[in-house]
């Protein structure tokens, strides 16, 4: 089973920096892509950043140029470096993995439990 465990959420002031981490455990599965999503109260979950196994990245328009996604394969850890934080970045941030079981073609999606990021003005 795939397990994703986020950490690093905190309360920070606007303009500050924060680094989120996601420990990825995926015995028997290969990764299709990994990503970070966020959900603010009363809003839909939205893409923050995505990273494919080929190294391609995609960012949400609101975080482009401020956030950076990366993967440390040796440590099986997905990171999200966040800078120039704004109050509108306040949300629960979720780690996401799209995977494929070895020998299978269908994809499965897994989510972490989320970590709270609060940015004060």
């Amino acid at each position: 089973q795939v397990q994703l465990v986020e950490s690093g959420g905190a309360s920070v002031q606007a303009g500050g920096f924060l680094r989120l981490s996601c420990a990825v455990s995926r015995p028997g599965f290969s990764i299709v892509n990994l990503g970070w999503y966020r959900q603010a109260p009363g809003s839909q979950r939205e893409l923050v950043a995505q990273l494919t196994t080929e190294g391609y990245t995609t960012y949400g328009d609101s975080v482009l140029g401020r956030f950076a996604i990366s993967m440390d394969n040796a440590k099986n850890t997905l990171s999200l470096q966040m800078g120039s934080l704004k109050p509108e970045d306040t949300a629960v941030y979720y780690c996401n993995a799209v995977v494929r079981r070895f020998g299978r073609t269908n994809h499965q999606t897994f989510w972490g439990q989320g970590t709270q990021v609060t940015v004060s003005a």
Side-chain angles (χ1 to χ4, degrees):
Q1 188 72 339
V2 175
Q3 289 189 327
L4 306 172
V5 181
E6 302 101 332
S7 61
S11 295
V12 298
Q13 289 190 329
F17 296 83
L18 204 58
R19 186 178 183 90
L20 303 183
S21 296
C22 174
V24 180
S25 175
R26 54 175 182 87
F29 290 86
S30 62
I31 292 175
V32 177
N33 59 62
L34 296 168
W36 290 95
Y37 287 72
R38 68 186 182 187
Q39 187 167 18
S43 299
Q44 290 187 332
R45 192 171 295 190
E46 64 175 0
L47 173 70
V48 176
Q50 188 179 73
L51 175 67
T52 71
T53 52
E54 293 82 10
Y56 295 108
T57 57
T58 303
Y59 292 94
D61 289 342
S62 63
V63 306
L64 192 62
R66 299 189 297 122
F67 292 11
I69 188 172
S70 62
M71 177 68 182
D72 185 333
N73 291 307
K75 296 181 179 179
N76 292 317
T77 300
L78 179 71
S79 296
L80 182 68
Q81 182 69 44
M82 305 187 292
S84 302
L85 285 163
K86 304 175 182 180
E88 49 264 44
D89 294 319
T90 295
V92 177
Y93 284 70
Y94 296 91
C95 181
N96 166 271
V98 177
V99 299
R100 183 171 56 238
R101 190 181 291 275
F102 293 146
R104 303 282 182 87
T105 58
N106 60 301
H107 296 174
Q108 298 181 59
T109 299
F110 292 87
W111 296 91
Q113 82 287 352
T115 186
Q116 177 69 46
V117 172
T118 302
V119 184
S120 57

